[in-house]
Amino acid sequence: MAIKENVEVFAVKQALSYLDKDPEKNLPKLLDWFDRFDRKDTLKTQREMIRSVVMDPDNNWHKLVMSLWEDIDPGVRNRFFENFIINGCLLGYQRQKEYKEKYNCNIPWAILLDPTSACNLKCTGCWAAEYGNHMNLTYEEMDDIVNQGVELGTYVYLFTGGEPLVRKKDIIRLCEEHPDCVFSTFTNGTLIDEAFAKEMLRVKNFVPAISIEGFEDATDSRRGNGTYQKIIRAMNILKENRLPFGISCCYTSANAEVIGSEEYFDQMIDMGAKFAWFFTYMPVGKGAVKELMADAAQREMMYHKIREFRQTKPIFTVDFWNDGEYVGGCIAGGRCYCHINANGDIEPCAFIHYSDSNIREKSLLEAYQSPLFMGYHDNQPWNENMLRPCPVLDNPGSLTRIVEESHAKSTDYQNLESAKEFSDKCVETAEKWAPVADRLWEKSHGGCAACGRCGKAENN
């Protein structure tokens, strides 16, 4: 297996070198090669979609792809393609599939992990603000997580927190030690400076996703005065150094209209963002501000706006609640990803702070076979309507049941909150979203639960 994988990686490097000579001309030829490489048709749907846009120079996706050659450092770009496409999506996926079948459990495509609970900001409604700086994963623990993950086929690692860049040196060290992996981070951006940009250029396999709440007023009102300008400075540094980055947007009752506006999308693209992750506010923890939860009308607005801009804007977007139809519903619990907090607790999701496993006591594989994770494995999807994917926000009670059955414990060590208390905060929001989601699902699918349920879109 190792010899085969090394040969395939070498082939991709050669192909990328060929592509660099004239991307506009040679990309279609590379796709022909990729068709032959993907012998098992693992990514047939994705390949066909990519081919359709590459052949149209006026297409926004074509413009996005070409911008990767115009705006991004060649070494960083090629390392990303090698690690993400070959390791993360082809070789990694095949290995994950083998272990899923062998052990009858979920094996994640990506792992989120918190290097630290410390943060230099105190954002309204953020659970990390309640945790303080007393929890940290050691470098050795993070290195062991990556080693175990790669063995199981997981090559993508995203840092959360806390503010991950409090641990800049250890993050760069992990990038050096694991050059075959993709590393990213959800960061407030305020700790990105010229020196760190030079380190990113050196290791070539680190891509930040900067959290931003909209324009200056909205961002500073939640994250603190002056934060927006620090974010803009960080984006300018990354752009000037030809480094790829994206944005992470939490839409709330207070900022959804701004986050979903064309003006906002255009500004982020102008700043240099190549991708955008969208989340809706979750009332995690006893200190959560329930009033920040987006209402049904705002969530529907985001559903339509993101789909509209996917047809017109050169930026890659994912809405982790409204895109359930593309991935077969909930992707947590190891189905596509899981989360490891700064105390070593292995959680199903970054928003689900319950666990029955810890990295200091169990291996990753043992955690994936634990009662809590098997509760996810055996019950996903939580709803036949993929626009209602979440076991908390969309299906209150589902999480409560599996947490209680697995005897999982709360991992919020400041103010323990039961799964029922957490879920109860979402009941009213779920009830109001259900008829809207059902209407949208019926309109787009005619009641067919096609995505991820009958093989038309494989759960990956």
Side-chain angles (χ1 to χ4, degrees):
M1 177 64 74
I3 294 176
K4 177 184 176 182
E5 291 181 1
N6 287 334
V7 170
E8 290 171 333
V9 169
F10 175 77
V12 172
K13 290 180 179 180
Q14 294 300 105
L16 289 172
S17 176
Y18 169 72
L19 184 60
D20 278 342
K21 297 175 182 178
D22 189 341
E24 191 85 38
K25 176 181 177 181
N26 292 336
L27 188 55
K29 297 178 181 178
L30 183 60
L31 288 176
D32 290 339
W33 173 87
F34 194 68
D35 287 343
R36 295 192 294 272
F37 180 81
D38 188 20
R39 293 182 295 273
K40 296 182 180 180
D41 279 341
T42 302
L43 299 173
K44 181 178 180 181
T45 301
Q46 291 88 336
R47 288 189 286 106
E48 291 174 348
M49 180 190 71
I50 292 172
R51 186 179 299 280
S52 69
V53 302
V54 163
M55 304 308 292
D56 179 8
D58 295 323
N59 186 281
N60 61 301
W61 291 99
H62 178 93
K63 294 177 181 177
L64 174 60
V65 171
M66 289 301 109
S67 78
L68 300 181
W69 272 264
E70 298 164 1
D71 302 340
I72 305 302
D73 175 83
V76 174
R77 180 186 61 244
N78 288 350
R79 179 70 63 82
F80 175 80
F81 283 158
E82 292 167 15
N83 291 354
F84 185 86
I85 296 174
I86 297 302
N87 297 341
C89 294
L90 284 178
L91 304 180
Y93 176 78
Q94 293 169 12
R95 203 179 302 169
Q96 293 158 32
K97 188 174 181 180
E98 291 173 4
Y99 280 107
K100 286 178 182 180
E101 293 173 352
K102 181 177 181 180
Y103 293 104
N104 189 35
C105 66
N106 287 327
I107 304 292
W109 175 77
I111 293 176
L112 277 63
L113 64 157
D114 299 352
T116 180
S117 61
C119 185
N120 60 324
L121 299 181
K122 191 176 178 66
C123 303
T124 302
C126 176
W127 65 80
E130 307 297 326
Y131 286 5
N133 61 3
H134 62 283
M135 293 190 296
N136 294 278
L137 294 176
T138 67
Y139 170 80
E140 290 74 19
E141 287 171 336
M142 292 189 287
D143 182 56
D144 185 54
I145 289 169
V146 177
N147 283 326
Q148 289 186 61
V150 168
E151 180 68 24
L152 297 172
T154 304
Y155 283 89
V156 180
Y157 297 86
L158 299 92
F159 301 107
T160 52
E163 168 49 50
L165 294 189
V166 169
R167 300 281 300 279
K168 284 181 183 180
K169 291 183 179 179
D170 283 336
I171 286 175
I172 290 296
R173 186 180 171 190
L174 280 171
C175 293
E176 289 178 312
E177 187 66 25
H178 302 279
D180 56 345
C181 292
V182 175
F183 293 96
S184 184
T185 190
F186 294 97
T187 174
N188 60 45
T190 63
L191 299 179
I192 293 175
D193 53 21
E194 283 284 355
F196 187 65
K198 298 304 181 186
E199 287 291 87
M200 290 173 59
L201 278 171
R202 182 173 65 83
V203 297
K204 297 181 173 58
N205 59 340
F206 182 79
V207 182
I210 299 175
S211 298
I212 185 167
E213 306 297 322
F215 297 116
E216 190 162 13
D217 288 346
T219 296
D220 285 1
S221 67
R222 187 172 179 218
R223 297 186 176 271
N225 291 335
T227 302
Y228 182 81
Q229 289 302 323
K230 292 178 181 178
I231 290 172
I232 297 303
R233 183 173 68 247
M235 289 181 174
N236 286 332
I237 289 172
L238 294 170
K239 186 175 182 179
E240 290 166 3
N241 283 278
R242 303 189 72 199
L243 285 162
F245 70 91
I247 57 174
S248 172
C249 308
C250 177
Y251 58 91
T252 71
S253 60
N255 71 357
E257 285 72 21
V258 172
I259 293 290
S261 70
E262 186 168 23
E263 181 185 7
Y264 178 70
F265 268 71
D266 287 344
Q267 179 164 330
M268 293 300 102
I269 293 168
D270 289 342
M271 290 304 302
K274 300 303 181 185
F275 61 89
W277 306 145
F278 292 91
F279 305 86
T280 190
Y281 178 75
M282 291 284 286
V284 179
K286 290 190 174 181
V289 182
K290 185 179 176 182
E291 291 73 22
L292 282 175
M293 296 174 70
D295 63 29
Q298 290 172 318
R299 184 166 169 182
E300 181 180 9
M301 180 270 294
M302 292 300 298
Y303 171 92
H304 291 299
K305 285 293 186 180
I306 290 175
R307 280 161 176 73
E308 174 189 343
F309 294 146
R310 279 182 184 147
Q311 306 303 315
T312 59
K313 305 295 182 184
I315 186 169
F316 179 79
T317 57
V318 172
D319 183 333
F320 286 91
W321 264 261
N322 288 336
D323 283 344
E325 61 183 304
Y326 303 123
V327 291
C330 171
I331 62 173
R335 184 171 162 267
C336 291
Y337 92 100
C338 67
H339 177 245
I340 302 173
N341 70 16
N343 191 56
D345 300 306
I346 305 171
E347 302 169 338
C349 173
F351 301 98
I352 305 299
H353 295 184
Y354 304 92
S355 177
D356 60 358
S357 304
N358 189 286
I359 60 166
R360 293 156 186 162
E361 301 168 352
K362 293 182 181 180
S363 68
L364 291 181
L365 182 57
E366 288 171 334
Y368 302 153
Q369 296 173 299
S370 72
L372 179 59
F373 273 69
M374 289 307 296
Y376 270 76
H377 175 273
D378 296 341
N379 289 283
Q380 290 166 315
W382 307 102
N383 197 301
E384 292 294 326
N385 182 339
M386 301 300 163
L387 298 179
R388 298 168 61 187
C390 182
V392 184
L393 186 63
D394 302 317
N395 303 279
S398 296
L399 177 70
T400 303
R401 175 171 52 81
I402 64 168
V403 166
E404 291 178 350
E405 289 177 352
S406 65
H407 302 290
K409 305 298 183 183
S410 171
T411 55
D412 183 339
Y413 297 103
Q414 297 295 106
N415 294 290
L416 296 180
E417 179 179 57
S418 71
K420 185 178 188 306
E421 289 174 313
F422 179 28
S423 296
D424 284 351
K425 288 185 286 188
C426 299
V427 170
E428 182 180 357
T429 299
E431 289 176 346
K432 292 181 177 179
W433 172 245
V436 177
D438 289 348
R439 168 172 52 81
L440 293 171
W441 185 256
E442 180 69 26
K443 182 177 180 180
S444 61
H445 292 272
C448 170
C451 300
R453 293 293 287 158
C454 64
K456 294 183 182 179
E458 186 173 356
N459 295 351
N460 53 23

